[in-house]
Amino acid sequence: MIHHHEFEVGGKTLSLETGRVAKQAGGAVLLGMGETVVLGVATMSEEPRPGIDFLPLTCDYEERKYSVGKIPGGFMKRVGRPSEKAILTSRLMDRPLRPLFPKGLRNDLQVIAMPFSVDQECPPDVLAICAAGAALTVSDIPFKYPVAGVRVGLIDGEFVLFPSIEEIKVSDLDLVVAGHKHAISMVEAGANQVTEEVMQKALKFAHDAVKIIVAEFEKFGNMVNKPKREVNLHSVDPGLIAAIDKKFGKDISKTMLGSKDKAMRESALNDLIKDVVEKLKPEYEGQPELQAQLGEAADYVVKNVVRENILKKDTRPDGRKLDEIRPLEAIAGILPRVHGSGLFTRGQTQVMTIATLGLPGEAQTMDGLEDVENNRYMHFYNFPSYSVGEVRPNRGPGRREIGHGALAERALRSVIPLDDPDFPYTLLLISEVLESNGSTSMASVCGSTLALMDAGIKIKAPVAGIAMGLMSDGKVFKVLTDIQGMEDFCGDMDFKVAGSRDGITALQLDTKLDGIPDEVLAQALAQAKTARLQILDVIEAEIPAPRDSVAASAPQVVTIKINPEKIGAVIGPGGANIKKITSTSGASVDIQQDGTVLIGGTGTEMIETAISMIKGLTDEVEVGAQFVGKVTRIIGRGAFVEYMPGREGMVPKEHISATPLGRIEDAVNIGDELNVKVHEVDGQGRVNLTALGIKQSLPALAGNEDAEPPAGGSFGGGGGPDTEIVVAEAVTAVVEVVTEVIVAAEEAETMIATVVLETTLPRQR
């Protein structure tokens, strides 16, 4: 049976339909807004996966170029590895859904969102969250609450719900919020230094819209009325947990607080847990099920000890206060040769960021479902195994690495002068995690600020980031500043906040709870601001402002303007001219549509050579201008001289010598340099030159340095034209007439062929 439902939110109409497509999935919904249509499906395996201690959930966002009327570029036309945008959207779906499945669910779960049609007025990424939430609502999969996601923009001081792609570009805020009727469960945001007060209002505005949408999802689910499946939930015997806590709880707590060093503390805990398991095995020898749960039960006790110490004693594993940051160190310019570098250390978390400057032509092409763009600012994040003292093969960046890199990129984008004409660079930041014990993504933000200022990039303001945590028993909420790895693992929230002294530039919220109360989020934002300012003090003590200039090893970039109508002349047929410019000068050349030309190179000489060649192709030539150029070719009528790079003019035979010439080679040869003067620019833009002198010793031109052609078009004294010259001129005139006749005939033939083709094609169609 097909069910259909429509409703309005924020002036936009959302439509839901189920029962028409993908009927064998656990739940399937076609969700539409404008002309964007997204399919959301959710499916669960029949049996739980044995031997695992986590929820095996996979969320995938599948892009299809047909949704925007495109054929994929390049050699491979079939969809392969998901794009970075698809991976980030998959994470947006996963994070709000994961906490709301029943605890102990071990059945394999897959949630897929796939845009079938994309309208640029209604971006599909946030609608994918809604499609996933709607599919779970109408599915047979047990799930706590309907979930929805919204995007909020801030334009001219007003909040905009579900802004278009063009509106996002001019918005001071790009906020994606997901949640359910009780609370917010996921936040992802980039902002232009927005204050904490404005951000709190935006979060409330977003949650109010989420409540409207999930209420309609709930109505839709009741219409479909598909019963939920009964599943076996994995659990650890509470009596076993209590027994371990009673016998070993004090030892675990003592070991937990025994060292501030992560490696030593975790090593001692692992040894203790192994000891606990070995000591208790004999007691449960006749109970194999309980015996198999000993290790997991011991982990539960460790987790509970961490939580109890914080909730009841305000005691953290490393002895810090709840709002205390670990020791900080910031070093700018630690690496030679590179364009910019920054090393940031916070406790046992350490990140090195390297900044590299390039030309606009080195920008990354972003070919997604949205408009194709060239991304001139990129941030990549690498998390090697040695940073946590482990050994594993390197398989390339995973979803986590891509997500952390994107978060750091978003945190800094609003302060980088990408729209400043004095900043013509493409910028690549790479953050290498050297040591990890919590919040390496925010350490990447701090290291990137150091690297940018060391590179001489005139950022609008330094940016720092901090990760906030939360411990809660449902009644008491303890917000933690600068969480470390164990607190992240045992806690209920990971709330990353990046910004300058003036405001927030990025947010990311993940939670294991059903949601976070508004007042707790407000407290976390306030503590994050205090911590952010402390970190900025340390960064600015190391490097108070960007360097005066970019590094000597960075490319120099000069901007010139040309007439846009001359762009074709610079490029040349098949790119011949621009290839010649770059190969001759060694410089890189990037031409914009408006006639802006960016010339970059590692030295002044190559840039000046390129500029000279470009001007030679674009500058207007005035009659009377003088040049020194090389003879490039010779014909019967005269010699062609390259008087400016890429531009030739002809010196007629009679303008070369004061005496008649039998052969032009008697006066000049290819490769000779002539001092020439522009005599005429004809109606077709062809340049005629007069030889004024020659650098090489050519007897035929002796005494001709300042000669001018007579009005009659030939050199000589007071007598009439020489017979040979008359004959040569007559022959030249005949050749020109014949050439014009041939060209006219060819044009006529082309016109006839075009008329015939246009007359024939309609009949063929």
Side-chain angles (χ1 to χ4, degrees), residues 107-119:
N107 297 57
D108 283 289
L109 293 155
Q110 187 174 40
V111 179
I112 296 174
M114 185 164 61
F116 281 155
S117 173
V118 174
D119 173 6

Side-chain angles (χ1 to χ4, degrees), residues 137-159:
T137 301
V138 302
S139 74
D140 59 353
I141 301 170
F143 194 68
K144 201 162 187 179
Y145 308 116
V147 167
V150 298
R151 172 176 268 114
V152 174
L154 179 62
I155 302 174
D156 296 330
E158 298 292 331
F159 294 126

Side-chain angles (χ1 to χ4, degrees), residues 637 663 702:
R637 294 180 56 205
R663 297 171 63 252

Side-chain angles (χ1 to χ4, degrees), residues 3 8 77 139 158 191 301 336 381 448 519 541 651 662 670 698 729:
H3 295 276
E8 281 194 10
K77 301 300 181 185
S139 74
E158 298 292 331
V301 175
Y381 165 101
S448 297
E519 60 273 16
V651 184
I670 293 175
L698 296 176
E729 289 180 346

Side-chain angles (χ1 to χ4, degrees), residues 102 144 175 188 243 249 350 393 457 476 500 635 667 677 709:
K144 201 162 187 179
L175 172 68
E188 188 82 27
Q350 186 178 71
I457 307 303
V476 177
S500 67
I635 62 173
K677 179 179 179 181

Side-chain angles (χ1 to χ4, degrees), residues 483-537:
I483 56 171
Q484 56 189 317
M486 183 173 290
E487 293 167 339
D488 187 11
F489 175 74
C490 300
D492 299 316
M493 177 182 78
D494 184 7
F495 188 25
K496 301 180 177 75
V497 186
S500 67
R501 293 188 182 277
D502 294 329
I504 294 168
T505 58
L507 282 185
Q508 188 179 86
L509 168 68
D510 295 314
T511 178
K512 299 170 189 174
L513 301 175
D514 291 350
I516 308 294
D518 292 344
E519 60 273 16
V520 176
L521 285 178
Q523 181 186 348
L525 283 171
Q527 280 186 216
K529 181 178 182 179
T530 301
R532 186 171 80 239
L533 296 179
Q534 293 177 32
I535 297 171
L536 286 171
D537 288 341

Side-chain angles (χ1 to χ4, degrees), residues 109 112 189 238 240 265 274 311 313 383 493 510 591 601 721:
L109 293 155
I112 296 174
L240 187 59
R265 183 172 60 245
K274 289 177 183 177
L311 285 170
K313 302 176 184 178
F383 188 90
M493 177 182 78
D510 295 314
I591 306 175

Side-chain angles (χ1 to χ4, degrees), residues 545-566:
R547 309 283 187 209
D548 292 335
S549 61
V550 299
S553 56
Q556 299 178 39
V557 180
V558 175
T559 302
I560 64 172
K561 292 285 288 188
I562 65 171
N563 186 339
E565 296 179 359
K566 299 286 187 178

